[in-house]
Amino acid sequence: MSEAKIQIYKGPAGGWGALRSVAHQLLQHRIALKGARTLLSANQPDGFDCPGCAWPDRQHTSSFEFCENGVKAVAAEATADRATPERIGEHTVTALRGWTDHDLEALGRLTEPLAYDPTTDRYRRITWDEAFATVARHLQALPSPDEAIFYTSGRTSNEAAFLYQLFVREFGTNNFPDCSNMCHEPSGVGMKASVGVGKGTVTLDDFELADCLLIFGQNPGTNHPRMLTALEETKRNGGSVVAVNPLPEAGLIRFKNPQTPRGVVGKGTVIADQHLKIRPGGDLALFQMLNRLLLEAEDAAPGTVLDHDFIASDTTGYDEFAAAVREVPWDDVLTATGLTREEIEELRDRVLGARSVIVCWAMGLTQHRHGVPTIREIVNFLLLRGNLGRPGAGVCPVRGHSNVQGDRTMGIWEKMPDSFLGALEAEFGFTPPTKHGYDSVAGVRAMRDGAVRVFVGVGGNFVRAMSDTDVTEEALRRCRLTVQISTKLNRSHTVCGETALILPTLGRTDRDVQASGEQWITVEDSMSEVHVSRGRLEPASPSLLSEVAIICRLARATLGPGGEIPWEDFEGDYSLIRDRIARVVPGFEDFNARVGVSGGFRLPNPVNRGVYPTPSGKAVFARNDFDMLTAPPGHLVLQSLRSHDQWNTIPYAPDDRYRGIHGSRQVVMVNPDDLAELGLEDRELVDIVSVWTDGSERRAPGFHVVAYPAARGSAAAYYPEANVLVPLDSVAAGSNTPTYKGIIVRLERVTA
């Protein structure tokens, strides 16, 4: 087992380091010239959209609207390496299961359909017709359509997502586990309860106008680096930024924009004016105290702090909320957050000095048992001073995958409203099922318990993304059929049902030519901007099919001839899909024409017009019970996180450049004072053991302790390696999201 080399990073995010990383990625994948040309068309009106994160671009007109991690995603997809049937067939699936995530990814692009042969424990080449017939046979043999689940990754296009949900609902089920279930589900649940809409309300223009940005539980420098450019504009326009995170993150300390001369040779921009090193899960307590302090400031200077006109005209529930939040005790808040009273009062003063405030957050807030009330308390905070529906203010949940928000808009949800299902019925002439389906956690339970027999996944890496790794893998193995629609090999392909298929597909950067000519697809970013993506590169193999083509052929094979849905026409001309989307999905009227304009269009958010689709027609102040994570003596609260050299479940290297950790991912970061209290030494080898209320334990063996400036009482380890520590049933109340950021653990010394 290799020990990590540690040299704590003190430089800025971006700068020469990002440029060197870009060059290294292009050379590593042997695509230096091709990759450079591809990047020049990134986020162009007629180019492709970066397949990385969902951060928006300024009208998709800049030749350099990409970042270091976007380059990694592009290079990985455009690689010259090929995972041919012969190359994969050299190894048994059992052997491949022992490979690292990085090594599986490094095999390269998949080229032909594959079927698992249990007699040889290897994948073998099959034809597309054989593959579609196999899927159809298994689906048609099920006693109920509800015995199949259909997973979706956030990289799927709007067109493919719409057809996928259409096929599955005509088949007869709403079983749509997706990556949103694992990350931002609490954001949608919390905001819908409070304002009636589960999407953010701000635009990039609002970042330039904001007086204060509060950034909670996210690491922009790694997970969505293009956000740093927007934060730089906030600072240049006189706004302030507050970073709230258990770890110091390079991108929120200092940023050198590598796409500008001053970002290469200058000192860069100091981003965060204040860093609150909060304990994991302490955000709910912090917002409750912040709200109490705003009420007390209003008491001291009536009529100068709260927006009483807005509260009276646009909200309900204020009195009950205010009475509850006034009772939140200081001692409990200081324990839950690990902050000092002075730090919290400084934050209050920053807020009081700001006319317009935006709150941004990511999974550091959502992946806790109290993720939903935390989001609702954020909305309470913004409602108090009317920081919704006006320039420079609002809610900003920052999504991960490039189209995770668009997939949900297109109907990838197990609980789509009756209005959407009714529109499908009116347009396509069949009655969609209304019974709610399985989400990701419920889907694993159903597979484990034998209630689901078929798993189909479009993109992603389900077994590595899900919690309780061992349980998830065993659940997949109990299926009669598992199908993975993918561009590259990953761990999920090594966990097979009785029958297992790999269906290789085009990537975002590949040219997509169908019967009517070259096609393009669309995506929706974190700020509800819908725009075009058009691949530029020759496909990795002439045998590849697009996601749209695969879904259309699965539907034709499974549902049989006839019916009112023209699957063959949809496969040949994607504009026909967009015409149907325009008639089913609100906000997409005249879709083809509007999205063809440079920069696309933004979907309307009624909250910005003072319209709240809640039962009362008003925004709701929520009364949230105080909650905090409490670790018993000798234990820590562990959060899982991604390294800088990683995207989603796939590490591109065993490094974490911005944290100064190189050569190993088997590390657990702990505050030096906590190590001293635990009697452990820096670099000592430990097992991480999670403990749960039911008395069960889970173990991640062989991690080196790294002394790191983390919040006291906390620890951090990498995702997905730490997923094995999270029980399947440990979820956020109200959203069923796994609690990846709230794991109670002890560290056991490994003895010889």
Side-chain angles (χ1 to χ4, degrees), residues 83 87-88 91-93 95-110 461 464 488-494 650-651:
R87 194 174 182 193
I88 294 173
H91 312 279
T92 65
V93 170
L96 290 171
R97 197 174 302 128
W99 288 26
T100 66
D101 298 297
H102 174 266
D103 289 343
L104 290 169
E105 161 86 6
L107 277 176
R109 289 287 299 275
L110 294 161
N461 186 0
R464 291 300 267 165
K488 303 183 83 175
L489 208 64
N490 61 49
R491 173 76 180 190
S492 293
H493 302 98
T494 72
I650 305 299

Side-chain angles (χ1 to χ4, degrees), residues 367 638-642 715-719 722-723 740-743:
Q367 292 174 334
L638 182 139
Q639 62 168 331
S640 65
L641 43 74
R642 290 187 291 207
Y718 293 124
Y719 161 100
N723 289 3
Y740 302 105
K741 297 293 192 292
I743 313 168

Side-chain angles (χ1 to χ4, degrees), residues 47-326:
F48 78 96
D49 179 72
C50 176
C53 74
W55 188 255
D57 301 294
R58 183 68 66 183
Q59 294 300 311
H60 297 266
T61 56
S62 168
S63 296
F64 289 93
E65 279 290 353
F66 57 84
C67 65
E68 175 188 347
N69 277 9
V71 171
K72 293 173 185 175
V74 170
E77 185 170 284
T79 180
D81 295 315
R82 298 290 180 263
T84 62
E86 291 76 17
R87 194 174 182 193
I88 294 173
E90 292 174 1
H91 312 279
T92 65
V93 170
T94 301
L96 290 171
R97 197 174 302 128
W99 288 26
T100 66
D101 298 297
H102 174 266
D103 289 343
L104 290 169
E105 161 86 6
L107 277 176
R109 289 287 299 275
L110 294 161
T111 61
E112 297 182 56
L114 300 170
Y116 175 62
D117 184 349
T119 61
T120 62
D121 190 29
R122 297 174 192 269
Y123 277 107
R124 61 176 177 83
R125 176 190 284 109
I126 60 169
T127 67
W128 279 108
D129 287 344
E130 288 175 313
F132 295 131
T134 298
V135 178
R137 183 173 65 253
H138 278 270
L139 290 176
Q140 292 165 355
L142 294 174
S144 165
D146 291 330
E147 292 187 21
I149 60 175
F150 298 85
Y151 177 72
T152 319
S153 158
R155 285 178 63 167
T156 306
S157 69
N158 287 328
E159 290 77 5
F162 183 79
L163 291 188
Y164 194 48
Q165 64 82 31
L166 181 63
F167 158 49
V168 173
R169 288 194 164 101
E170 188 177 22
F171 176 64
T173 185
N174 284 312
N175 287 343
F176 285 111
D178 74 336
C179 56
S180 288
N181 300 149
M182 306 174 198
C183 56
H184 263 295
E185 201 71 58
S187 298
V189 173
M191 289 192 296
K192 283 180 181 178
S194 292
V195 297
V197 178
K199 297 183 180 183
T201 63
V202 303
T203 67
L204 283 177
D205 291 339
D206 290 313
F207 272 65
E208 296 184 9
L209 300 173
D211 296 315
C212 185
L213 272 164
L214 306 183
I215 301 177
F216 278 74
Q218 68 181 104
N219 176 13
T222 287
N223 296 329
H224 18 78
R226 285 174 293 146
M227 180 179 179
L228 297 179
T229 304
L231 297 179
E232 187 178 43
E233 290 301 314
T234 300
K235 297 301 297 291
R236 292 188 181 279
N237 291 333
S240 65
V241 174
V242 179
V244 186
N245 200 294
L247 302 176
E249 302 292 6
L252 291 173
I253 297 173
R254 185 160 56 98
F255 172 53
K256 296 180 72 173
N257 188 342
Q259 297 171 8
T260 64
R262 69 174 182 269
V264 177
V265 299
K267 294 181 179 179
T269 302
V270 175
I271 297 295
D273 299 279
Q274 183 183 8
H275 173 216
L276 298 179
K277 194 182 294 185
I278 197 168
R279 287 178 179 162
D283 311 277
L284 172 61
L286 177 58
F287 270 108
Q288 288 180 318
M289 178 51 68
L290 194 57
N291 286 337
R292 172 186 156 178
L293 293 176
L294 291 179
L295 295 178
E296 291 175 352
E298 173 70 16
D299 295 340
T304 66
V305 176
L306 305 186
D307 189 335
H308 291 285
D309 290 341
F310 176 80
I311 291 171
S313 64
D314 285 51
T315 75
T316 185
Y318 171 80
D319 291 338
E320 184 179 2
F321 148 76
V325 83
R326 288 181 185 275

Side-chain angles (χ1 to χ4, degrees), residues 482-497:
T482 54
V483 182
Q484 307 286 348
I485 300 170
S486 310
T487 58
K488 303 183 83 175
L489 208 64
N490 61 49
R491 173 76 180 190
S492 293
H493 302 98
T494 72
V495 181
C496 302

